[in-house]
Amino acid sequence: MIIQTQSLNKIYRTEEVETTALDEVNFQVEEGEFVSIMGPSGCGKSTLLNVIGLIDTIDGGGYFFMDKDVSSFNERQRANVRKGNIGFIFQSFNLIDELTVFENVELPLLYIKVAATERKKRVHAVLERMEIMHRRNHFPQQLSGGQQQRVAVGRAVITNPKVILADEPTGNLDSKNGDEVMNILTQLNESGTTIIMVTHSPTYAEYGNRTVHLFDGKIITENLNGEFHV
């Protein structure tokens, strides 16, 4: 089991309001799975992804990543687990405008102190794989949305992470570019990468081998290999 949560709770508090974003969530992912997460806006999908990605902390329950209890890790410990293990793909691409395509993809390798020669070799390989090498010296604003997402996917996979977390990766793309991104994710999964994807699209959710449905911070149903589970 690469990911396992036990009665996971996440609460957001302000001076006046307390919102339960995740409510007693039990969620497991086996290594090599492709899991889709669906549900209405505000149901906790992105919160669950942020907790799994060790970006956000929890308020109760347990979280195990690669059989290690990471529930009470501080930010530095969480960052150390993220490096090289987890890649992120976002709806808004989250590329750095001041960096070229090459530099955006290279960035995660700088964080884990990969030598310059090896960085160049890896980045070139990923850019070829994403079919974006011809744009390596361009800046994000000089690219189409589909091209920007290819760069974002390249940045996510450059460290060969065990898990890729994709939050609405096709949300800002037309159907052609959306299909291309989904095909890339499928290829990554077929090569052994575990993928967890938040999506509003039933069509794209079908690319996964399991779909989890959230509502009001709770997992209410699962759709597994065409079977319906409550």
Side-chain angles (χ1 to χ4, degrees):
M1 195 80 65
I2 195 165
I3 286 166
Q4 182 175 20
T5 74
Q6 298 173 342
S7 301
L8 194 70
N9 291 296
K10 178 63 183 177
I11 300 170
Y12 292 109
R13 296 180 176 88
T14 65
E15 290 184 3
E16 300 176 354
V17 180
E18 183 175 285
T19 303
T20 300
L22 297 174
D23 188 2
E24 300 290 320
V25 171
N26 293 298
F27 179 65
Q28 297 83 35
V29 179
E30 297 282 357
E31 189 167 358
E33 269 198 287
F34 187 155
V35 180
S36 302
I37 301 175
M38 296 192 72
S41 296
C43 72
K45 302 186 302 295
S46 293
T47 300
L48 179 57
L49 217 60
N50 286 339
V51 167
I52 292 169
L54 295 167
I55 292 175
D56 214 342
T57 57
I58 63 175
D59 294 302
Y63 175 31
F64 293 81
F65 182 79
M66 295 173 60
D67 296 322
K68 180 182 292 185
D69 186 352
V70 297
S71 309
S72 59
F73 276 21
N74 60 33
E75 171 52 33
R76 184 173 183 176
Q77 290 171 312
R78 296 200 307 273
N80 285 335
V81 175
R82 285 196 302 267
K83 289 176 185 176
N85 287 316
I86 303 174
F88 297 88
I89 304 170
F90 303 95
Q91 177 177 346
S92 56
F93 317 135
N94 283 16
L95 300 176
I96 298 174
D97 290 340
E98 294 77 18
L99 300 182
T100 64
V101 165
F102 183 99
E103 291 166 339
N104 266 282
V105 174
E106 179 188 35
L107 198 57
L109 298 179
L110 293 172
Y111 293 146
I112 59 174
K113 297 180 170 57
V114 174
T117 305
E118 178 65 15
R119 290 201 308 269
K120 183 176 181 180
K121 178 181 174 182
R122 284 208 215 175
V123 173
H124 279 187
V126 165
L127 293 180
E128 291 282 6
R129 185 178 184 183
M130 296 297 127
E131 299 179 357
I132 199 76
M133 176 64 102
H134 62 296
R135 297 285 195 177
R136 62 187 178 277
N137 294 320
H138 287 67
F139 292 92
Q141 297 307 314
Q142 297 174 304
L143 306 178
S144 69
Q147 289 171 331
Q148 288 188 59
Q149 194 60 298
R150 284 176 179 271
V151 176
V153 174
R155 180 185 58 190
V157 304
I158 191 69
T159 60
N160 298 315
K162 297 186 181 335
V163 179
I164 288 180
L165 304 178
D167 195 353
E168 292 284 357
T170 63
N172 284 338
L173 304 177
D174 59 31
S175 59
K176 178 178 181 294
N177 283 307
D179 290 347
E180 288 179 358
V181 167
M182 291 308 304
N183 287 332
I184 291 170
L185 291 179
T186 300
Q187 291 167 15
L188 290 168
N189 179 243
E190 288 173 348
S191 69
T193 305
T194 303
I195 296 177
I196 304 171
M197 176 184 70
V198 164
T199 182
H200 278 107
S201 167
T203 301
Y204 290 148
E206 288 294 323
Y207 279 74
N209 41 49
R210 177 161 60 103
T211 302
V212 174
H213 298 265
L214 282 180
F215 187 78
D216 284 348
K218 295 177 179 286
I219 292 178
I220 54 169
T221 60
E222 286 192 31
N223 188 349
L224 177 62
N225 297 329
E227 298 178 3
F228 192 70
H229 299 269
V230 178

